[in-house]
Amino acid sequence: MYLSRVDDVVCRGDLSFERFLEIASGILRRGGVDRTVAVGDNGLAVDNVELCAVLKRLGVQHIPVSRGVSEEIYIPLEVLGFFDDINPSRFRVFRDSEELLYRNWPTPLVRLVRASIGGRIIWAKLEGFNPWSMSIKDRIGWYMYRRAVEVFGKSQPSLLVESTSTNTGLAIASMANIHGSRLRAYIPSTVSQTGEALLKIFGVDVVRSSKQLTVELIEDVETVARSEGALHLNQFYNDANFEVHLRYTAKELELQIREAGIVPKAIMGGLGTSGHVSALAFYFKNRFRGVRVYGVVPTQGSTIQGIRRVESGMKWVHHVELDGVIEVTSSEAVEGIIDIVRGDGILVGLSSGAVYAAYKKLVDEDRIDEGNYVLIFPDHGFKYIEQISKYLQMDSR
Ligand code: PLP
């Protein structure tokens, strides 16, 4: 047995998403692999090809291999370089804008001192610290684009099309701008003027629809992509969305909670495509026993930009186990923002306010006890000044 550099092992063959999850679950639960990948000449995997593919997608640096036949042997994740993906720039010098994105990770995990109540400690993961869209969506814009171009060998696209409620559009626009492509974004009627203006500032051609939800536009966007030969990354079904959170967001959060010396009782986040919450649920439920994961959605009839109801259609949430889905009104989401900025001084976005409001509901209903809680705050609050100000004009807070 020897450890081979990941790029020197070639594993061909298709892998369904279900099979990927099954094998990845075993690796995360065991904290390593228990057999080698058998390789032939030229490093081509001839046995345990699926294991090889999953290890690559989980972002290891080394693959345990043996010649001809596979061997049983336990190799821990650390030895495989599983955590090496998280490699922040120490002095914060970045060679280019893409490096600014992935070598700026981990995004901060900060204890909210004022918002934490009754022996329950909140740790907020601030995704607004991502550089392009100032949101969690930079991760998927970067990864979906890179995987499309590098892994699937697609030529650099001249036109991309995507249905978005702003953030994914900004993230893909940044990748398009960096690589000399263009993005046409299809936005639902519910997107704010600020969102549309931001997309235009990024150089995006914006098409506003009369439909209310991003998912309702997918088919039209796919039709356009086919007729115009454009690249449709499709954040709603592209498994690179789920995988980037497994490979980076979840891994870095594990390193952060280790540094903080805590194991959270629960992790909470908003459901849009369901990419980040599903990946965190999958990862933490395999790696740690007893961590609960909650998703947050708007109540029936409410609009909270970035998140939506499960029945409106989302992929990954149906492949993982959640401990509950909590509903929040748009006013509660704004009140959540105000509580956080007036308590701990951090202006977060609407879906972050919703996540905090959902956490408070669990506290009020006595459904969570003392301990540590991680709340994922997807973006920064500057995009939502219109909505927050309007609320404050009506409410005397
Ligand atoms: N919050 C904001 C502000 C978003 O833009 C999004 C996604 O668009 C989400 C939450 C939901 O994230 P996900 O798509 O990973 O479920």
Side-chain angles (χ1 to χ4, degrees):
M1 192 289 296
Y2 60 97
L3 289 175
S4 179
R5 272 169 27 96
V6 66
D7 294 337
D8 296 339
V9 185
V10 181
C11 34
R12 296 212 181 97
D14 246 1
L15 188 71
S16 70
F17 185 65
E18 285 77 8
R19 191 78 184 120
F20 167 74
L21 290 186
E22 195 181 323
I23 297 169
S25 169
I27 296 169
L28 295 174
R29 261 170 211 266
R30 278 190 292 274
V33 293
D34 56 5
R35 60 217 148 99
T36 62
V37 172
V39 292
D41 295 338
N42 305 328
L44 184 68
V46 292
D47 193 13
N48 290 340
V49 182
E50 289 184 327
L51 172 66
C52 176
V54 174
L55 285 172
K56 283 196 175 209
R57 281 157 71 170
L58 288 176
V60 302
Q61 295 300 310
H62 311 288
I63 294 189
V65 296
S66 49
R67 287 248 156 224
V69 283
S70 113
E71 285 172 33
E72 281 189 19
I73 182 166
Y74 179 74
I75 317 275
L77 289 177
E78 280 78 2
V79 175
L80 299 177
F82 173 81
F83 290 103
D84 296 0
D85 274 330
I86 314 304
N87 179 22
S89 161
R90 188 158 161 236
F91 289 106
R92 310 183 59 68
V93 176
F94 305 98
R95 280 179 306 177
D96 57 32
S97 178
E98 272 185 69
E99 202 177 89
L100 168 67
L101 177 76
Y102 60 81
R103 295 205 61 202
N104 190 39
W105 294 336
T107 51
L109 183 71
V110 58
R111 187 161 68 100
L112 297 186
V113 176
R114 294 285 304 278
S116 300
I117 18 178
R120 301 171 190 90
I121 299 164
I122 299 176
W123 297 84
K125 189 153 172 66
L126 300 179
E127 290 296 308
F129 276 71
N130 281 300
W132 301 334
S133 63
M134 299 176 93
S135 88
I136 195 161
K137 292 299 186 170
D138 282 2
R139 297 177 184 266
I140 73 163
W142 173 69
Y143 205 62
M144 290 193 305
Y145 192 105
R146 286 198 74 89
R147 272 184 66 92
V149 171
E150 284 168 16
V151 180
F152 303 118
K154 297 220 163 100
S155 54
Q156 207 71 251
S158 56
L159 177 67
L160 290 108
V161 287
E162 189 74 22
S163 163
T164 170
S165 65
T166 304
N167 281 333
T168 303
L170 298 176
I172 296 175
S174 291
M175 279 301 272
N177 293 345
I178 290 165
H179 294 282
S181 313
R182 269 194 90 73
L183 170 67
R184 190 189 304 141
Y186 293 79
I187 60 170
S189 59
T190 45
V191 168
S192 66
Q193 293 301 325
T194 308
E196 181 171 345
L198 270 169
L199 285 162
K200 287 180 175 161
I201 291 169
F202 274 59
V204 176
D205 300 319
V206 179
V207 180
R208 191 183 272 272
S209 163
S210 57
K211 294 177 181 162
Q212 291 209 329
L213 291 176
T214 44
V215 270
E216 294 167 340
L217 312 179
I218 302 173
E219 270 183 37
D220 297 347
V221 175
E222 186 55 34
T223 307
V224 170
R226 260 191 252 116
S227 70
E228 296 190 33
L231 176 61
H232 180 201
L233 292 173
N234 197 350
Q235 58 168 329
F236 306 96
Y237 291 102
N238 187 334
D239 290 332
N241 176 343
F242 176 89
E243 285 180 32
V244 72
H245 294 301
L246 197 60
R247 183 169 169 180
Y248 295 92
T249 323
K251 260 185 216 180
E252 69 184 51
L253 182 57
E254 173 171 356
L255 296 176
Q256 288 178 305
I257 62 168
R258 281 197 214 168
E259 166 120 348
I262 59 151
V263 175
K265 291 246 167 92
I267 299 173
M268 300 180 69
L271 296 172
T273 64
S274 82
H276 75 276
V277 169
S278 304
L280 289 167
F282 179 75
Y283 186 95
F284 279 89
K285 282 176 179 290
N286 279 303
R287 295 281 291 148
F288 297 87
R289 204 174 312 147
V291 175
R292 280 171 283 154
V293 178
Y294 295 95
V296 180
V297 300
T299 52
Q300 185 83 52
S302 303
T303 302
I304 301 174
Q305 209 167 309
I307 60 175
R308 57 193 165 79
R309 295 179 65 78
V310 174
E311 66 268 20
S312 65
M314 43 187 78
K315 179 176 180 183
W316 302 284
V317 77
H318 301 294
H319 291 269
V320 300
E321 185 201 332
L322 293 191
D323 295 273
V325 173
I326 299 151
E327 301 185 357
V328 169
T329 64
S330 38
S331 305
E332 287 169 335
V334 180
E335 284 157 18
I337 299 176
I338 294 168
D339 283 350
I340 292 161
V341 70
R342 295 192 183 173
D344 288 273
I346 301 167
L347 182 63
V348 294
L350 271 178
S351 62
S352 312
V355 172
Y356 178 67
Y359 163 84
K360 275 210 318 193
K361 282 191 178 180
L362 291 185
V363 173
D364 292 344
E365 292 164 13
D366 233 359
R367 286 167 63 190
I368 54 174
D369 46 13
E370 292 187 4
N372 292 282
Y373 292 85
V374 170
L375 309 191
I376 311 296
F377 286 170
D379 71 354
H380 200 283
F382 279 123
K383 284 175 212 129
Y384 309 99
I385 304 284
E386 292 165 53
Q387 288 103 314
I388 305 168
S389 306
K390 208 183 272 174
Y391 179 87
L392 286 175
Q393 278 160 16
M394 292 183 321
D395 192 278
S396 54
R397 286 177 60 149

